Structure formats: structure tokens, C-alpha cells
Amino acid sequence: MSPRTTAGTVVAPEFVDGLDWLNTDHPLRLADLRGKLVILDFWTYC
């Protein structure tokens, strides 16, 4: 499936391989998240 674009939108790039995922048993793909509410929480240890 090719990415769809509409006026005023930007297609997000796919997640890179090798990321560490929390609370899931497999890496996610953007297609898995389509139509769902996604909350991103960016944090770091200081």
C-alpha cells in the first residue's frame, strides 16, 4: 500500500529498525496505528 497524501499533510516516515519498544511484544508499524489515537511521551533520564 502506498502512502496517501492530501493537501496540507505530510506522510510520516516509517519507524527505523532496531528501536527499543515498551509495553508491546513486537515492533510497531505505522499501518498498525492507522485510525487509532496515539500519544507520544518523550522523556529522558537526567
XYZ file of all heavy atoms in Angstrom:
366
model
N 0.846 -1.174 0.000
C 0.000 0.000 0.000
C 0.892 1.238 0.000
O 1.763 1.382 0.838
C -0.890 -0.037 1.244
C -1.702 1.197 1.424
S -2.623 1.136 2.966
C -4.238 1.427 2.345
N 0.669 2.128 -0.917
C 1.465 3.352 -0.979
C 0.858 4.410 -0.065
O -0.347 4.437 0.154
C 1.537 3.868 -2.415
O 0.245 4.218 -2.846
N 1.701 5.274 0.496
C 1.189 6.320 1.393
C 0.274 7.277 0.651
O 0.508 7.601 -0.503
C 2.436 7.042 1.870
C 3.594 6.261 1.413
C 3.130 5.318 0.356
N -0.797 7.690 1.314
C -1.712 8.665 0.731
C -1.352 10.039 1.247
O -0.963 10.191 2.397
C -3.147 8.351 1.109
C -3.653 7.068 0.502
C -5.095 6.843 0.827
N -5.226 6.595 2.256
C -6.361 6.672 2.922
N -7.468 6.991 2.320
N -6.402 6.431 4.213
N -1.479 11.029 0.407
C -1.272 12.403 0.840
C -2.481 13.225 0.430
O -3.152 12.932 -0.549
C -0.010 13.014 0.215
O -0.143 13.001 -1.204
C 1.239 12.243 0.598
N -2.764 14.235 1.199
C -3.802 15.200 0.849
C -3.213 16.579 1.053
O -2.178 16.735 1.701
C -5.056 15.024 1.739
O -4.671 15.151 3.104
C -5.705 13.670 1.529
N -3.851 17.565 0.516
C -3.335 18.933 0.614
C -3.124 19.326 2.062
O -3.996 19.141 2.902
C -4.300 19.894 -0.059
N -1.929 19.837 2.374
C -1.635 20.316 3.717
C -1.173 19.258 4.684
O -1.030 19.520 5.862
N -0.950 18.035 4.235
C -0.493 16.981 5.144
C 0.871 16.472 4.708
O 1.272 16.619 3.566
C -1.464 15.795 5.185
O -1.537 15.211 3.888
C -2.836 16.211 5.641
N 1.560 15.877 5.643
C 2.859 15.277 5.378
C 2.795 13.828 5.835
O 2.316 13.542 6.935
C 3.980 16.014 6.156
C 5.315 15.332 5.966
C 4.036 17.468 5.735
N 3.254 12.916 5.016
C 3.259 11.500 5.357
C 4.423 11.228 6.299
O 5.565 11.592 6.011
C 3.365 10.627 4.091
C 3.446 9.159 4.457
C 2.181 10.884 3.182
N 4.149 10.608 7.435
C 5.188 10.303 8.416
C 6.062 9.163 7.905
O 5.566 8.226 7.277
C 4.553 9.908 9.737
N 7.359 9.228 8.191
C 8.239 8.130 7.795
C 7.998 6.909 8.685
O 7.535 7.036 9.820
C 9.639 8.695 8.021
C 9.464 9.743 9.069
C 8.087 10.304 8.852
N 8.303 5.746 8.180
C 8.179 4.511 8.947
C 9.212 4.506 10.063
O 10.249 5.153 9.968
C 8.387 3.308 8.020
C 8.003 1.981 8.606
C 6.543 1.899 9.012
O 5.669 2.110 8.172
O 6.285 1.614 10.205
N 8.926 3.807 11.170
C 9.876 3.676 12.267
C 11.110 2.921 11.779
O 10.994 1.977 10.997
C 9.256 2.914 13.436
C 8.067 3.598 14.045
C 6.819 3.032 13.978
C 8.210 4.814 14.697
C 5.719 3.650 14.536
C 7.119 5.447 15.263
C 5.866 4.865 15.179
N 12.277 3.323 12.262
C 13.517 2.645 11.863
C 13.624 1.300 12.575
O 13.049 1.097 13.652
C 14.765 3.515 12.172
C 14.737 4.789 11.362
C 14.861 3.828 13.648
N 14.353 0.370 11.984
C 14.578 -0.938 12.592
C 15.485 -0.810 13.811
O 16.319 0.087 13.895
C 15.229 -1.886 11.586
C 14.287 -2.256 10.450
O 13.065 -2.252 10.673
O 14.791 -2.548 9.347
N 15.320 -1.716 14.763
C 16.210 -1.769 15.916
C 15.830 -0.892 17.086
O 16.604 -0.743 18.018
N 14.636 -0.294 17.069
C 14.202 0.535 18.193
C 13.820 -0.346 19.379
O 13.385 -1.476 19.209
C 12.989 1.380 17.804
C 13.214 2.467 16.766
C 11.878 3.135 16.417
C 14.196 3.493 17.271
N 13.977 0.184 20.591
C 13.515 -0.491 21.793
C 12.078 -0.067 22.060
O 11.778 1.131 22.147
C 14.385 -0.117 22.996
C 15.791 -0.673 22.887
O 15.948 -1.763 22.310
O 16.713 -0.016 23.376
N 11.167 -1.027 22.185
C 9.755 -0.748 22.396
C 9.355 -1.143 23.804
O 9.789 -2.164 24.324
C 8.903 -1.521 21.391
C 9.104 -1.042 19.996
C 10.000 -1.508 19.078
C 8.421 0.021 19.367
N 9.904 -0.799 17.917
C 8.937 0.148 18.059
C 7.409 0.887 19.767
C 8.473 1.102 17.169
C 6.956 1.833 18.866
C 7.485 1.931 17.584
N 8.505 -0.346 24.440
C 7.971 -0.642 25.756
C 6.509 -1.045 25.641
O 5.768 -0.526 24.795
C 8.075 0.587 26.672
C 9.478 1.147 26.905
C 9.395 2.431 27.712
C 10.355 0.129 27.598
N 6.089 -1.970 26.481
C 4.684 -2.384 26.589
C 4.115 -2.991 25.312
O 2.921 -2.891 25.048
C 3.801 -1.212 27.050
C 4.216 -0.670 28.382
O 4.641 -1.423 29.244
N 4.121 0.629 28.551
N 4.954 -3.613 24.526
C 4.491 -4.336 23.346
C 5.442 -5.495 23.099
O 6.619 -5.426 23.417
C 4.396 -3.424 22.100
O 3.850 -4.160 21.020
C 5.733 -2.840 21.720
N 4.918 -6.566 22.537
C 5.755 -7.744 22.318
C 6.376 -7.794 20.924
O 7.098 -8.723 20.601
C 4.966 -9.023 22.586
C 3.743 -9.151 21.706
O 3.404 -8.184 20.999
O 3.117 -10.226 21.733
N 6.101 -6.794 20.107
C 6.696 -6.743 18.766
C 6.821 -5.286 18.320
O 6.102 -4.418 18.814
C 5.841 -7.538 17.772
C 4.456 -6.976 17.600
N 3.443 -7.186 18.500
C 3.939 -6.174 16.646
C 2.349 -6.558 18.095
N 2.636 -5.939 16.966
N 7.732 -5.003 17.408
C 7.861 -3.629 16.889
C 6.570 -3.189 16.195
O 5.880 -3.993 15.572
C 9.008 -3.725 15.886
C 9.759 -4.941 16.270
C 8.744 -5.897 16.845
N 6.250 -1.919 16.322
C 5.057 -1.379 15.697
C 5.375 -0.825 14.319
O 6.507 -0.443 14.034
C 4.466 -0.269 16.565
C 3.994 -0.683 17.944
C 3.523 0.536 18.718
C 2.905 -1.718 17.856
N 4.365 -0.788 13.482
C 4.449 -0.152 12.171
C 3.380 0.928 12.124
O 2.390 0.861 12.842
C 4.182 -1.164 11.058
C 5.135 -2.320 11.025
C 4.784 -3.345 9.945
N 3.356 -3.689 10.033
C 2.529 -3.712 8.986
N 2.959 -3.435 7.780
N 1.270 -4.031 9.140
N 3.560 1.914 11.285
C 2.561 2.971 11.165
C 1.208 2.405 10.748
O 0.170 2.881 11.197
C 3.030 4.040 10.187
C 4.194 4.899 10.680
C 4.574 5.917 9.623
C 3.863 5.587 11.977
N 1.224 1.388 9.917
C -0.031 0.777 9.480
C -0.798 0.191 10.667
O -2.032 0.176 10.668
C 0.246 -0.303 8.441
N -0.074 -0.286 11.705
C -0.723 -0.824 12.902
C -1.451 0.270 13.679
O -2.384 -0.014 14.438
C 0.306 -1.464 13.840
C 1.054 -2.623 13.220
O 0.480 -3.290 12.320
O 2.202 -2.860 13.622
N -1.021 1.508 13.524
C -1.559 2.623 14.302
C -2.604 3.439 13.548
O -3.238 4.316 14.135
C -0.412 3.542 14.733
C 0.705 2.862 15.520
C 1.842 3.831 15.747
C 0.184 2.294 16.821
N -2.794 3.178 12.278
C -3.740 3.956 11.477
C -5.137 3.897 12.078
O -5.635 2.839 12.416
C -3.782 3.442 10.043
C -4.755 4.212 9.162
C -4.622 3.774 7.739
N -3.434 4.391 7.166
C -3.475 5.497 6.433
N -4.605 6.076 6.185
N -2.370 6.009 5.951
N -5.739 5.067 12.249
C -7.090 5.166 12.773
C -7.169 5.111 14.289
O -8.263 5.123 14.841
N -6.024 5.043 14.969
C -6.004 4.977 16.430
C -5.424 6.269 16.997
O -4.633 6.937 16.352
C -5.164 3.797 16.899
C -5.730 2.470 16.458
C -4.866 1.329 16.924
C -5.460 0.020 16.439
N -4.606 -1.098 16.750
N -5.836 6.603 18.209
C -5.270 7.740 18.912
C -3.903 7.319 19.439
O -3.779 6.304 20.111
C -6.168 8.159 20.074
C -5.636 9.272 20.953
C -5.529 10.561 20.156
C -6.522 9.448 22.157
N -2.868 8.100 19.126
C -1.505 7.785 19.540
C -0.981 8.947 20.374
O -1.028 10.094 19.952
C -0.581 7.569 18.319
C 0.836 7.310 18.749
C -1.117 6.432 17.457
N -0.495 8.633 21.575
C 0.088 9.648 22.448
C 1.581 9.353 22.559
O 1.981 8.249 22.927
C -0.552 9.621 23.848
C -2.040 9.924 23.721
C 0.146 10.592 24.782
C -2.809 9.774 25.004
N 2.393 10.327 22.204
C 3.842 10.183 22.291
C 4.323 10.874 23.550
O 3.967 12.017 23.814
C 4.517 10.812 21.062
C 4.148 10.214 19.723
C 4.832 10.996 18.612
C 4.516 8.755 19.656
N 5.123 10.177 24.320
C 5.669 10.729 25.562
C 7.181 10.692 25.439
O 7.796 9.640 25.509
C 5.204 9.894 26.753
C 5.655 10.464 28.075
O 6.135 11.610 28.099
O 5.508 9.764 29.081
N 7.780 11.850 25.198
C 9.232 11.958 25.072
C 9.815 12.264 26.441
O 9.440 13.250 27.069
C 9.609 13.068 24.083
C 9.151 12.785 22.691
C 7.969 13.318 22.205
C 9.914 11.987 21.862
C 7.554 13.069 20.917
C 9.512 11.723 20.550
C 8.326 12.261 20.091
N 10.717 11.435 26.910
C 11.325 11.637 28.212
C 12.764 11.179 28.172
O 13.180 10.437 27.297
C 10.557 10.917 29.313
C 10.333 9.463 29.036
C 9.276 8.908 28.378
C 11.196 8.366 29.385
N 9.422 7.555 28.282
C 10.599 7.191 28.905
C 12.400 8.276 30.054
C 11.157 5.939 29.079
C 12.969 7.010 30.218
C 12.341 5.871 29.740
N 13.502 11.617 29.165
C 14.904 11.242 29.257
C 15.305 11.229 30.726
O 14.671 11.875 31.567
C 15.806 12.206 28.470
O 17.153 11.750 28.550
C 15.721 13.617 28.995
N 16.310 10.464 31.044
C 16.874 10.484 32.403
C 17.889 11.599 32.486
O 18.747 11.744 31.638
C 17.544 9.157 32.740
C 16.582 8.008 32.888
C 16.485 7.027 31.921
C 15.761 7.930 34.002
C 15.603 5.974 32.059
C 14.875 6.882 34.153
C 14.806 5.911 33.175
O 13.925 4.883 33.319
N 17.825 12.397 33.517
C 18.776 13.496 33.704
C 19.833 13.124 34.709
O 19.644 12.388 35.579
C 18.060 14.748 34.180
S 16.924 15.373 32.940
